[in-house]
PDB file of all heavy atoms in Angstrom:
ATOM      1  N   ILE V 155      -2.473  -5.889  -2.675  1.00  0.00           N
ATOM      2  CA  ILE V 155      -3.053  -4.556  -2.837  1.00  0.00           C
ATOM      3  C   ILE V 155      -1.916  -3.596  -3.149  1.00  0.00           C
ATOM      4  O   ILE V 155      -1.000  -3.428  -2.339  1.00  0.00           O
ATOM      5  CB  ILE V 155      -3.803  -4.096  -1.573  1.00  0.00           C
ATOM      6  CG1 ILE V 155      -4.869  -5.114  -1.173  1.00  0.00           C
ATOM      7  CG2 ILE V 155      -4.416  -2.716  -1.787  1.00  0.00           C
ATOM      8  CD1 ILE V 155      -5.593  -4.767   0.126  1.00  0.00           C
ATOM      9  N   SER V 156      -1.947  -2.980  -4.312  1.00  0.00           N
ATOM     10  CA  SER V 156      -0.900  -2.049  -4.735  1.00  0.00           C
ATOM     11  C   SER V 156      -1.482  -0.642  -4.792  1.00  0.00           C
ATOM     12  O   SER V 156      -2.378  -0.373  -5.603  1.00  0.00           O
ATOM     13  CB  SER V 156      -0.350  -2.444  -6.108  1.00  0.00           C
ATOM     14  OG  SER V 156       0.060  -3.793  -6.133  1.00  0.00           O
ATOM     15  N   ASP V 157      -0.957   0.254  -3.960  1.00  0.00           N
ATOM     16  CA  ASP V 157      -1.493   1.614  -3.879  1.00  0.00           C
ATOM     17  C   ASP V 157      -0.746   2.548  -4.828  1.00  0.00           C
ATOM     18  O   ASP V 157       0.395   2.298  -5.214  1.00  0.00           O
ATOM     19  CB  ASP V 157      -1.386   2.124  -2.444  1.00  0.00           C
ATOM     20  CG  ASP V 157      -2.302   3.313  -2.178  1.00  0.00           C
ATOM     21  OD1 ASP V 157      -3.165   3.610  -3.034  1.00  0.00           O
ATOM     22  OD2 ASP V 157      -2.164   3.949  -1.116  1.00  0.00           O
ATOM     23  N   ASN V 158      -1.413   3.628  -5.185  1.00  0.00           N
ATOM     24  CA  ASN V 158      -0.832   4.737  -5.969  1.00  0.00           C
ATOM     25  C   ASN V 158      -0.430   4.343  -7.393  1.00  0.00           C
ATOM     26  O   ASN V 158       0.488   4.927  -7.958  1.00  0.00           O
ATOM     27  CB  ASN V 158       0.396   5.322  -5.249  1.00  0.00           C
ATOM     28  CG  ASN V 158       0.101   5.768  -3.840  1.00  0.00           C
ATOM     29  OD1 ASN V 158      -0.851   6.491  -3.599  1.00  0.00           O
ATOM     30  ND2 ASN V 158       0.904   5.309  -2.904  1.00  0.00           N
ATOM     31  N   VAL V 159      -1.120   3.385  -7.991  1.00  0.00           N
ATOM     32  CA  VAL V 159      -0.706   2.919  -9.309  1.00  0.00           C
ATOM     33  C   VAL V 159      -1.202   3.802 -10.456  1.00  0.00           C
ATOM     34  O   VAL V 159      -0.712   3.683 -11.582  1.00  0.00           O
ATOM     35  CB  VAL V 159      -1.159   1.458  -9.556  1.00  0.00           C
ATOM     36  CG1 VAL V 159      -0.471   0.507  -8.596  1.00  0.00           C
ATOM     37  CG2 VAL V 159      -2.671   1.314  -9.481  1.00  0.00           C
ATOM     38  N   LEU V 160      -2.142   4.697 -10.191  1.00  0.00           N
ATOM     39  CA  LEU V 160      -2.619   5.595 -11.248  1.00  0.00           C
ATOM     40  C   LEU V 160      -2.108   7.018 -11.084  1.00  0.00           C
ATOM     41  O   LEU V 160      -2.281   7.846 -11.980  1.00  0.00           O
ATOM     42  CB  LEU V 160      -4.157   5.594 -11.312  1.00  0.00           C
ATOM     43  CG  LEU V 160      -4.797   4.273 -11.743  1.00  0.00           C
ATOM     44  CD1 LEU V 160      -6.314   4.397 -11.778  1.00  0.00           C
ATOM     45  CD2 LEU V 160      -4.272   3.820 -13.095  1.00  0.00           C
ATOM     46  N   GLN V 161      -1.519   7.324  -9.950  1.00  0.00           N
ATOM     47  CA  GLN V 161      -0.908   8.636  -9.711  1.00  0.00           C
ATOM     48  C   GLN V 161      -1.822   9.784 -10.133  1.00  0.00           C
ATOM     49  O   GLN V 161      -1.464  10.635 -10.951  1.00  0.00           O
ATOM     50  CB  GLN V 161       0.426   8.740 -10.443  1.00  0.00           C
ATOM     51  CG  GLN V 161       1.499   7.810  -9.881  1.00  0.00           C
ATOM     52  CD  GLN V 161       2.874   8.172 -10.373  1.00  0.00           C
ATOM     53  OE1 GLN V 161       3.182   7.970 -11.540  1.00  0.00           O
ATOM     54  NE2 GLN V 161       3.699   8.705  -9.492  1.00  0.00           N
ATOM     55  N   ASP V 162      -3.001   9.813  -9.542  1.00  0.00           N
ATOM     56  CA  ASP V 162      -3.988  10.851  -9.870  1.00  0.00           C
ATOM     57  C   ASP V 162      -4.318  10.893 -11.361  1.00  0.00           C
ATOM     58  O   ASP V 162      -4.654  11.943 -11.906  1.00  0.00           O
ATOM     59  CB  ASP V 162      -3.520  12.229  -9.402  1.00  0.00           C
ATOM     60  CG  ASP V 162      -3.879  12.496  -7.954  1.00  0.00           C
ATOM     61  OD1 ASP V 162      -4.807  11.836  -7.449  1.00  0.00           O
ATOM     62  OD2 ASP V 162      -3.241  13.355  -7.319  1.00  0.00           O
ATOM     63  N   GLY V 163      -4.209   9.759 -12.032  1.00  0.00           N
ATOM     64  CA  GLY V 163      -4.566   9.665 -13.439  1.00  0.00           C
ATOM     65  C   GLY V 163      -3.407   9.809 -14.403  1.00  0.00           C
ATOM     66  O   GLY V 163      -3.558   9.547 -15.599  1.00  0.00           O
ATOM     67  N   GLU V 164      -2.231  10.196 -13.932  1.00  0.00           N
ATOM     68  CA  GLU V 164      -1.092  10.419 -14.828  1.00  0.00           C
ATOM     69  C   GLU V 164      -0.631   9.140 -15.523  1.00  0.00           C
ATOM     70  O   GLU V 164      -0.102   9.181 -16.629  1.00  0.00           O
ATOM     71  CB  GLU V 164       0.084  11.038 -14.071  1.00  0.00           C
ATOM     72  CG  GLU V 164      -0.053  12.525 -13.831  1.00  0.00           C
ATOM     73  CD  GLU V 164       1.267  13.176 -13.465  1.00  0.00           C
ATOM     74  OE1 GLU V 164       2.279  12.469 -13.384  1.00  0.00           O
ATOM     75  OE2 GLU V 164       1.277  14.400 -13.257  1.00  0.00           O
ATOM     76  N   THR V 165      -0.820   7.997 -14.870  1.00  0.00           N
ATOM     77  CA  THR V 165      -0.372   6.737 -15.461  1.00  0.00           C
ATOM     78  C   THR V 165      -1.076   6.468 -16.787  1.00  0.00           C
ATOM     79  O   THR V 165      -0.513   5.823 -17.678  1.00  0.00           O
ATOM     80  CB  THR V 165      -0.627   5.573 -14.486  1.00  0.00           C
ATOM     81  OG1 THR V 165       0.011   5.861 -13.238  1.00  0.00           O
ATOM     82  CG2 THR V 165      -0.079   4.262 -15.022  1.00  0.00           C
ATOM     83  N   ALA V 166      -2.297   6.960 -16.930  1.00  0.00           N
ATOM     84  CA  ALA V 166      -3.059   6.722 -18.156  1.00  0.00           C
ATOM     85  C   ALA V 166      -2.584   7.593 -19.309  1.00  0.00           C
ATOM     86  O   ALA V 166      -2.955   7.347 -20.472  1.00  0.00           O
ATOM     87  CB  ALA V 166      -4.543   6.977 -17.899  1.00  0.00           C
ATOM     88  N   LEU V 167      -1.765   8.598 -19.040  1.00  0.00           N
ATOM     89  CA  LEU V 167      -1.298   9.505 -20.079  1.00  0.00           C
ATOM     90  C   LEU V 167      -0.128   8.907 -20.851  1.00  0.00           C
ATOM     91  O   LEU V 167       0.563   8.004 -20.376  1.00  0.00           O
ATOM     92  CB  LEU V 167      -0.852  10.834 -19.450  1.00  0.00           C
ATOM     93  CG  LEU V 167      -1.882  11.610 -18.637  1.00  0.00           C
ATOM     94  CD1 LEU V 167      -1.229  12.844 -18.026  1.00  0.00           C
ATOM     95  CD2 LEU V 167      -3.076  11.991 -19.489  1.00  0.00           C
ATOM     96  N   SER V 168       0.124   9.427 -22.029  1.00  0.00           N
ATOM     97  CA  SER V 168       1.334   9.093 -22.774  1.00  0.00           C
ATOM     98  C   SER V 168       2.547   9.555 -21.978  1.00  0.00           C
ATOM     99  O   SER V 168       2.482  10.555 -21.249  1.00  0.00           O
ATOM    100  CB  SER V 168       1.310   9.798 -24.135  1.00  0.00           C
ATOM    101  OG  SER V 168       2.609   9.852 -24.695  1.00  0.00           O
ATOM    102  N   ARG V 169       3.669   8.832 -22.111  1.00  0.00           N
ATOM    103  CA  ARG V 169       4.872   9.214 -21.377  1.00  0.00           C
ATOM    104  C   ARG V 169       5.347  10.607 -21.774  1.00  0.00           C
ATOM    105  O   ARG V 169       6.023  11.283 -21.000  1.00  0.00           O
ATOM    106  CB  ARG V 169       5.988   8.193 -21.590  1.00  0.00           C
ATOM    107  CG  ARG V 169       6.630   8.188 -22.951  1.00  0.00           C
ATOM    108  CD  ARG V 169       7.632   7.043 -23.077  1.00  0.00           C
ATOM    109  NE  ARG V 169       8.666   7.117 -22.078  1.00  0.00           N
ATOM    110  CZ  ARG V 169       9.840   7.735 -22.257  1.00  0.00           C
ATOM    111  NH1 ARG V 169      10.089   8.343 -23.403  1.00  0.00           N
ATOM    112  NH2 ARG V 169      10.754   7.738 -21.314  1.00  0.00           N
ATOM    113  N   TYR V 170       4.970  11.072 -22.960  1.00  0.00           N
ATOM    114  CA  TYR V 170       5.380  12.397 -23.405  1.00  0.00           C
ATOM    115  C   TYR V 170       4.466  13.493 -22.858  1.00  0.00           C
ATOM    116  O   TYR V 170       4.765  14.676 -23.002  1.00  0.00           O
ATOM    117  CB  TYR V 170       5.410  12.449 -24.932  1.00  0.00           C
ATOM    118  CG  TYR V 170       6.402  11.459 -25.509  1.00  0.00           C
ATOM    119  CD1 TYR V 170       5.962  10.294 -26.137  1.00  0.00           C
ATOM    120  CD2 TYR V 170       7.763  11.665 -25.397  1.00  0.00           C
ATOM    121  CE1 TYR V 170       6.873   9.372 -26.648  1.00  0.00           C
ATOM    122  CE2 TYR V 170       8.685  10.746 -25.890  1.00  0.00           C
ATOM    123  CZ  TYR V 170       8.226   9.606 -26.518  1.00  0.00           C
ATOM    124  OH  TYR V 170       9.128   8.694 -27.013  1.00  0.00           O
ATOM    125  N   ALA V 171       3.371  13.077 -22.216  1.00  0.00           N
ATOM    126  CA  ALA V 171       2.457  14.051 -21.620  1.00  0.00           C
ATOM    127  C   ALA V 171       2.795  14.334 -20.161  1.00  0.00           C
ATOM    128  O   ALA V 171       2.215  15.214 -19.547  1.00  0.00           O
ATOM    129  CB  ALA V 171       1.014  13.559 -21.730  1.00  0.00           C
TER     130      ALA V 171
END
Side-chain angles (χ1 to χ4, degrees):
I155 305 176
S156 307
D157 198 11
N158 305 310
V159 295
L160 294 180
Q161 293 195 289
D162 274 339
E164 281 197 359
T165 304
L167 302 176
S168 161
R169 72 185 302 268
Y170 299 106

